[in-house]
Amino acid sequence: MKLSLTLTVAAGLMATTALAQDKTVTIASWGGSYQEAQSKALFAPAAANTGIAVKEETYGGMSDVRLQVSTGAVTLDIVASGSGSAARAGAEGLLEPLDYSVIDVSTFYPTLKSEYCVGGDVFSTVYAWNTKTYGDNGPQSWADFWNVEKFPGKRAYRNKVAGALEPALMADGVAPEDVYKVLDSEEGIERAINKIRELKPHIDVFWSSGAQHAQLMKDGEVDMTTGWNGRFDNAAKDGAMVKYSFNQALLDYDCFAIPKGAPNKDTAMAFLAEISKPEYQDDLPKYITYGPTNKAAFDTGEITPEVAAMLPSSPANAAMQLPISLEWYIKWETIADEKYQSMLTE
């Protein structure tokens, strides 16, 4: 009897171990220091705590997901994505709807999740300035960024419509809470583009990547530019004379999605639930200056007040910003970008 019981218990333990080993997710992100930070803060600890094996890959974005879904050869279970790309991919039918009865987002910022993508980190589109030119007294609003008399100097601005029109309207006097109401028409889009057209003679470079706008500031090639806060932090660490402000910045986020037909959909959903917990998200700023999407991460004691002051999603900084409207981008981005590109080539 004792031998039989021992064998039964051993068989049960072996079955449990095998079950854990069978649970695997393949996650694709963008590589580099960004994915390294995700791996150290989120993927590796969650794998250790859940027994879910993680296979990491890099990928080229939603075009890769589209190819896998269209050919019925889906190998990815979770993908990192920009919020706008995920919104468009979800509308296109490329992503699984997320189960928020499994993924607890009750302490998330309400704008940092969607039907198809759950926020993983927060970044901001800000205006940054060269402290050699302006000292600490650089622009403190988008109106200042447009004010070439008060702040003479060379500007840089993004060459795509994403994050380009909202600052222009705020510079034109539209209250942040009304920006997307005004942009919800072709007339409003034209108003924003006309405001950028007004500044165009003072824009020396229309940048195309985060690496480029950071380099512009490191080289002192422009006196102020728009761009992403984390890139400016890294540039400053490398010696760039750069500062920025979160006032009127655009609050945006990267997120995690599950491709349609993912081979391990249920395991992927459970894994996303795990890495959305505050005890994982509070470690991310140790490796990269992006903020957590889960507000409770600021209450664990892991994020110091000094670090929180640098993060886009800290309560004080988030309160100063305009959250990106994914609904607007789904509806208007294609039309708006055509108009924007036309203005750039004038």
Side-chain angles (χ1 to χ4, degrees):
M1 174 67 78
K2 187 178 289 186
L3 178 61
S4 175
L5 181 60
T6 302
L7 289 173
T8 300
V9 171
L13 288 171
M14 288 172 64
T16 301
T17 303
L19 187 62
Q21 290 174 342
D22 284 345
K23 289 192 174 183
T24 303
V25 290
T26 299
I27 303 175
S29 189
W30 299 309
S33 59
Y34 177 73
Q35 187 164 346
E36 184 180 350
Q38 290 177 314
S39 186
K40 289 178 177 178
L42 307 175
F43 304 157
N49 290 336
T50 62
I52 296 171
V54 174
K55 180 184 177 185
E56 289 189 44
E57 295 183 5
T58 58
Y59 85 136
M62 284 299 171
S63 58
D64 290 359
V65 173
R66 183 178 295 105
L67 180 62
Q68 289 197 3
V69 173
S70 65
T71 58
V74 181
T75 62
L76 302 175
D77 298 303
I78 296 171
V79 294
S81 175
S83 59
S85 297
R88 291 187 293 276
E92 194 179 328
L94 301 179
L95 303 176
E96 298 281 357
L98 297 183
D99 186 349
Y100 287 113
S101 69
V102 174
I103 304 168
D104 181 7
V105 291
S106 59
T107 51
F108 269 49
Y109 286 95
T111 59
L112 304 184
K113 61 178 177 60
S114 68
E115 182 179 0
Y116 298 101
C117 211
V118 61
D121 62 76
V122 183
F123 67 94
S124 298
T125 297
V126 300
Y127 43 85
W129 66 90
N130 188 327
T131 56
K132 188 176 181 179
T133 308
Y134 307 113
D136 292 336
N137 302 312
Q140 294 300 311
S141 67
W142 291 114
D144 281 351
F145 190 91
W146 256 258
N147 191 334
V148 296
E149 293 181 359
K150 184 178 178 182
F151 296 100
K154 299 176 180 178
R155 268 81 165 157
Y157 210 77
R158 193 172 189 188
N159 72 343
K160 294 181 180 178
V161 79
L165 301 190
E166 299 94 333
L169 285 184
M170 284 186 273
D172 204 34
V174 177
E177 62 269 23
D178 294 329
V179 163
Y180 286 112
K181 296 175 192 172
V182 174
L183 282 177
D184 195 25
S185 68
E186 293 206 25
E187 292 77 13
I189 291 168
E190 291 285 0
R191 176 180 173 181
I193 290 174
N194 283 334
K195 189 67 176 177
I196 299 169
R197 185 180 281 114
E198 172 189 309
L199 189 65
K200 191 178 176 185
H202 304 276
I203 300 174
D204 274 42
V205 181
F206 281 93
W207 58 264
S208 60
S209 70
Q212 184 185 8
H213 72 58
Q215 195 65 44
L216 288 170
M217 296 306 286
K218 284 176 69 174
D219 295 343
E221 192 173 331
V222 297
D223 299 296
M224 64 176 75
T225 182
T226 60
W228 302 314
N229 71 290
R231 294 286 189 169
F232 295 128
D233 289 332
N234 289 339
K237 288 177 185 175
D238 290 340
M241 302 186 71
V242 59
K243 284 196 171 184
Y244 62 85
S245 172
F246 283 116
N247 186 47
Q248 295 187 335
L250 307 181
L251 191 70
D252 204 348
Y253 66 102
D254 297 310
C255 57
F256 295 110
I258 299 176
K260 194 78 171 178
N264 301 294
K265 173 186 167 183
D266 292 342
T267 305
M269 207 75 71
F271 196 79
L272 290 184
E274 188 72 11
I275 62 176
S276 295
K277 294 177 180 177
E279 57 265 35
Y280 297 95
Q281 290 210 356
D282 63 7
D283 282 338
L284 194 64
K286 295 176 182 177
Y287 307 106
I288 195 166
T289 54
Y290 291 137
T293 50
N294 192 329
K295 289 186 289 185
F298 288 103
D299 300 327
T300 65
E302 285 292 312
I303 300 175
T304 66
E306 292 77 18
V307 171
M310 298 176 64
L311 299 179
S313 60
S314 72
N317 289 336
M320 294 190 282
Q321 300 180 65
L322 171 64
I324 287 288
S325 170
L326 299 185
E327 293 78 12
W328 182 86
Y329 278 94
I330 291 170
K331 182 177 179 181
W332 287 106
E333 184 173 18
T334 300
I335 293 170
D337 200 50
E338 287 176 2
K339 293 177 179 292
Y340 189 65
Q341 297 306 319
S342 178
M343 181 273 295
L344 293 182
T345 56
E346 289 175 355

